[in-house]
């Protein structure tokens, strides 16, 4: 089976590509190495993959490449690429989000009309829900994003549903809830916390630390993508969470245990676009595709800590 | 290790979507129509219009 993984050099895309290679798939990866974080980190993400003959890689943009040629022989698309970052999505930056998150998805869906695929798995986000009072968040709840980033992810998700209903493109959207683990982006909270802790700097926390997230380990996200390909009915949307809701202060307590020492914490003002709590209702994902998260927050944090330690000491190429 | 034929087959010029071919030194892909060279660095074809180099002919 041949898979196209967009955003293949990124945090989730690189893990997913490795998983697909282990499943004996051929993978074509594409990534435009957007300068949101250092290129060297992304290059390290795919260093192992590139040694595998079943992995082909293109540095390119979905907005520019000939998508019909790219899809030649592709059975499944795992569309992971996006301009990330909730807080950076305001102002003039929004064009980057609309181009890379909405337009690129629409172009890929259009290409699928002429080059049919077995499944088109789209990486959506819990940010589509916004600051809902309904916890846990249900797929049937009214989405109400509170950041332009969330708006762009929701728009692309809606396009996926539309292209299924109107053209039969077999899309499945997975709403990821705060993903963490090795290779997490450097702007994300756990990565920053571990780095600061290792550098003996205080941890900067937005708000009072009592905001909570349904943190999801990247291994569970990868598994969910495979299940979505294998079992999901097209046109569906699924919440993919980690199975527990943890506050940032609780995470910091776990980090202290892991490091075996106290950590200094500086609390700062809240950020526009941040939601207060997230928690996924995963009944649908469990019943329809058999998704069940396996990695606990305690175990998952350890994997990320080990990786950040390597990164900080310059030994990141795995 | 050079890039595979399989990969070459799915690539086109990102600017005109026309055919491209490997140059003699096998470190770039040429689009005759746009007169652009797309470099191959560490076996990765860089298919970005902004990164392409103009070819003088």
């Amino acid at each position: 089976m041949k898979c196209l993984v967009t955003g293949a050099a990124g945090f989730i895309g690189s893990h997913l590509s490795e998983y697909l290679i282990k499943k004996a798939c051929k993978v074509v990866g594409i990534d435009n190495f957007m300068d949101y974080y250092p290129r060297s980190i992304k290059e390290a993400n795919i260093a192992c993959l590139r040694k595998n003959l079943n992995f082909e890689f293109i540095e390119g943009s979905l907005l520019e490449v000939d998508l019909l040629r790219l899809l030649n022989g592709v059975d499944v698309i795992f569309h992971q690429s996006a301009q990330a970052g909730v807080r950076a999505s305001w102002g003039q930056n929004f064009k980057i989000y609309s181009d890379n998150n909405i337009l690129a998805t629409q172009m890929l869906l259009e290409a699928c009309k002429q080059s049919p695929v077995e499944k088109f798995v789209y990486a959506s986000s819990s940010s589509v829900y916004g600051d809902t009072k309904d916890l846990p968040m249900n797929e049937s709840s009214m989405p109400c994003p509170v950041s332009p980033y969330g708006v762009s992810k929701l728009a692309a998700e809606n396009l996926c549903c539309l292209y299924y209903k109107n053209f039969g493109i077999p899309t499945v959207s997975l709403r990821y809830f705060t993903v963490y683990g090795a290779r997490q982006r450097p702007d994300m909270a756990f990565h920053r916390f571990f780095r600061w802790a290792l550098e003996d700097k205080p941890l900067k926390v937005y708000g009072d630390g009592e905001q909570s997230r349904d943190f999801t380990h990247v291994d569970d996200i990868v598994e969910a993508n495979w299940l979505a390909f294998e079992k999901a009915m097209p046109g569906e949307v699924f919440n993919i969470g980690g199975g527990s809701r943890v506050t940032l202060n609780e995470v910091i307590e776990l980090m202290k245990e892991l490091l075996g020492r106290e950590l200094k914490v500086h609390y700062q003002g809240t950020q526009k676009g941040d939601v207060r709590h997230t928690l996924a209702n995963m009944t649908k994902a469990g019943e329809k595709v058999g998704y069940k998260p396996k990695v606990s927050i305690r175990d998952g944090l350890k994997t990320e800590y080990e990786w950040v330690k390597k990164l900080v000491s310059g030994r990141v190429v795995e | 290790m050079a890039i595979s034929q399989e990969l070459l087959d799915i690539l086109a010029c990102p600017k005109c979507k026309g055919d491209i071919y490997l140059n003699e030194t096998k470190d770039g892909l040429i689009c005759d129509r746009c007169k652009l060279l797309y470099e191959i660095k560490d076996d990765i074809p860089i298919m970005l219009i902004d990164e392409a180099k103009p070819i003088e002919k």
Side-chain angles (χ1 to χ4, degrees), chain A residues 207-224:
Chain A
D208 60 4
E210 284 306 301
Q211 62 270 46
S212 63
R213 295 285 180 275
D214 191 337
F215 294 107
T216 315
H217 193 265
V218 67
D219 288 354
D220 288 324
I221 292 288
V222 163
E223 180 85 23

Side-chain angles (χ1 to χ4, degrees), chain A residues 13-311:
Chain A
S14 61
H15 281 284
L16 177 59
S17 298
E18 285 172 358
Y19 180 93
L20 294 169
I21 294 285
K22 281 186 196 147
K23 289 271 187 190
C25 299
K26 282 191 166 195
V27 174
V28 175
I30 184 165
D31 201 295
N32 64 357
F33 285 95
M34 234 166 333
D35 56 2
Y36 188 65
Y37 62 96
R39 182 187 178 95
S40 58
I41 294 180
K42 288 193 176 185
E43 284 178 345
N45 287 348
I46 53 166
C48 267
L49 274 167
R50 292 195 47 224
K51 293 175 196 151
N52 195 300
L53 291 175
N54 284 324
F55 181 74
E56 303 277 13
F57 184 75
I58 302 160
E59 180 171 346
S61 162
L62 293 175
L63 300 165
E64 291 182 353
V65 296
D66 183 336
L67 291 172
L68 282 181
R69 282 200 216 205
L70 186 67
L71 291 182
N72 189 19
V74 167
D75 301 294
V76 184
I77 298 173
F78 292 96
H79 182 30
Q80 308 294 309
S81 68
Q83 174 62 41
V86 167
R87 296 175 200 119
S89 63
W90 298 96
Q92 291 191 340
N93 281 345
F94 185 67
K95 186 176 186 313
I96 304 170
Y97 289 78
S98 61
D99 283 351
N100 290 288
N101 300 0
I102 306 173
L103 183 57
T105 303
Q106 187 268 349
M107 289 170 72
L108 201 50
L109 289 163
E110 273 293 318
C112 289
K113 283 161 62 181
Q114 287 183 64
S115 185
V117 291
E118 217 175 300
K119 202 65 74 69
F120 182 117
V121 184
Y122 168 65
S124 186
S125 164
S126 62
S127 65
V128 303
Y129 288 111
D131 239 342
T132 175
K133 298 271 182 292
D134 300 332
L135 288 178
M137 293 153 157
N138 292 304
E139 289 91 343
S140 56
S141 305
M142 177 69 149
C144 198
V146 292
S147 67
Y149 168 79
V151 168
S152 73
K153 295 302 285 182
L154 178 60
E157 188 190 290
N158 285 342
L159 283 166
C160 287
C161 290
L162 277 182
Y163 273 77
Y164 168 64
K165 284 178 189 155
N166 289 276
F167 305 106
I169 312 295
T171 61
V172 177
S173 295
L174 304 180
R175 291 178 177 167
Y176 299 165
F177 281 68
T178 320
V179 190
Y180 73 101
R183 302 182 195 157
Q184 193 190 39
R185 293 197 323 271
D187 60 307
M188 296 180 79
F190 294 4
H191 184 131
R192 287 149 62 108
F193 288 175
F194 278 130
R195 185 178 274 270
W196 285 327
L198 287 163
E199 291 168 351
D200 223 11
K201 291 178 182 164
L203 277 53
K204 291 179 201 158
V205 173
Y206 294 124
D208 60 4
E210 284 306 301
Q211 62 270 46
S212 63
R213 295 285 180 275
D214 191 337
F215 294 107
T216 315
H217 193 265
V218 67
D219 288 354
D220 288 324
I221 292 288
V222 163
E223 180 85 23
N225 271 272
W226 183 258
L227 291 169
F229 148 64
E230 271 197 322
K231 297 182 178 172
M233 292 291 285
E236 295 282 355
V237 176
F238 296 96
N239 283 340
I240 303 297
S244 60
R245 179 176 150 208
V246 187
T247 67
L248 273 186
N249 287 333
E250 286 168 333
V251 168
I252 291 166
E253 286 307 310
L254 287 170
M255 286 180 171
K256 287 179 189 170
E257 274 181 39
L258 201 56
L259 275 83
R261 61 185 165 87
E262 275 301 307
L263 298 170
K264 277 181 236 153
V265 183
H266 283 180
Y267 293 97
Q268 304 185 323
T270 52
Q271 297 283 303
K272 270 192 179 16
D274 279 355
V275 300
R276 185 72 180 156
H277 304 293
T278 69
L279 178 65
N281 181 333
M282 288 187 297
T283 311
K284 185 177 173 187
E287 286 176 357
K288 306 262 184 181
V289 300
Y291 171 72
K292 192 168 183 249
K294 296 189 181 92
V295 185
S296 68
I297 184 79
R298 190 181 292 271
D299 292 344
L301 273 175
K302 204 171 169 193
T303 66
E304 181 157 350
Y305 175 55
E306 294 302 328
W307 177 77
V308 176
K309 255 201 305 195
K310 279 190 206 168
L311 188 70

